[in-house]
């Protein structure tokens, strides 16, 4: 996943749990816009609006979008984005860390 300063993002291999999606999940690409939620917002702390997901969605053709999000932990200097894999009670998470 790459988050750009202009509020756009691109992904490879995520999201993987799309019903009806075709193609290899590891090679699936996606793109769209992202934003940080206000501190008192009850939604995702980091939300993603996918405009395109290969083998699944294209807003130019289908209209609308696919939404998803991640939680935030760590510090401002060393942030970690994470999301639950399946049921949150299973305590399985995917963690993303900053590369640069």
């Amino acid at each position: 996943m790459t988050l750009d300063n202009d509020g756009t993002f691109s992904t490879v291999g995520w999201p993987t749990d799309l019903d009806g999606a075709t193609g290899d999940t590891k090679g699936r690409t996606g793109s769209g816009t992202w934003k940080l939620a206000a501190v008192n917002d009850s939604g995702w702390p980091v939300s993603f609006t996918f405009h395109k997901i290969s083998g699944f969605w294209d807003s130019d053709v289908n209209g609308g979008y696919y939404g998803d999000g991640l939680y935030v932990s760590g510090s401002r200097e060393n942030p970690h984005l994470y999301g639950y894999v399946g049921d949150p009670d299973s305590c399985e998470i995917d963690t993303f860390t900053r590369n640069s």
Side-chain angles (χ1 to χ4, degrees):
M1 173 189 316
T2 302
L3 304 178
D4 294 316
N5 289 335
D6 66 358
T8 61
F9 73 90
S10 60
T11 64
V12 176
W14 181 72
T16 60
D17 60 347
L18 301 172
D19 289 335
T22 60
D24 176 33
T25 58
K26 291 181 182 178
R28 181 177 298 139
T29 60
S31 62
T33 57
W34 69 276
K35 69 177 183 173
L36 293 172
V39 173
N40 58 354
D41 193 328
S42 62
W44 295 106
V46 182
S47 62
F48 301 98
T49 302
F50 282 85
H51 297 250
K52 295 184 185 217
I53 303 172
S54 62
F56 183 71
W57 193 263
D58 184 337
S59 292
D60 293 339
V61 175
N62 305 96
Y65 61 89
Y66 176 83
D68 210 340
L70 293 172
Y71 297 100
V72 180
S73 67
S75 65
R76 182 174 292 278
E77 296 78 27
N78 190 23
H80 300 272
L81 300 178
Y82 70 95
Y84 292 100
V85 178
D87 184 348
D89 290 336
S90 71
C91 298
E92 291 181 59
I93 60 172
D94 281 332
T95 301
F96 301 83
T97 56
R98 182 183 292 182
N99 283 338
S100 56

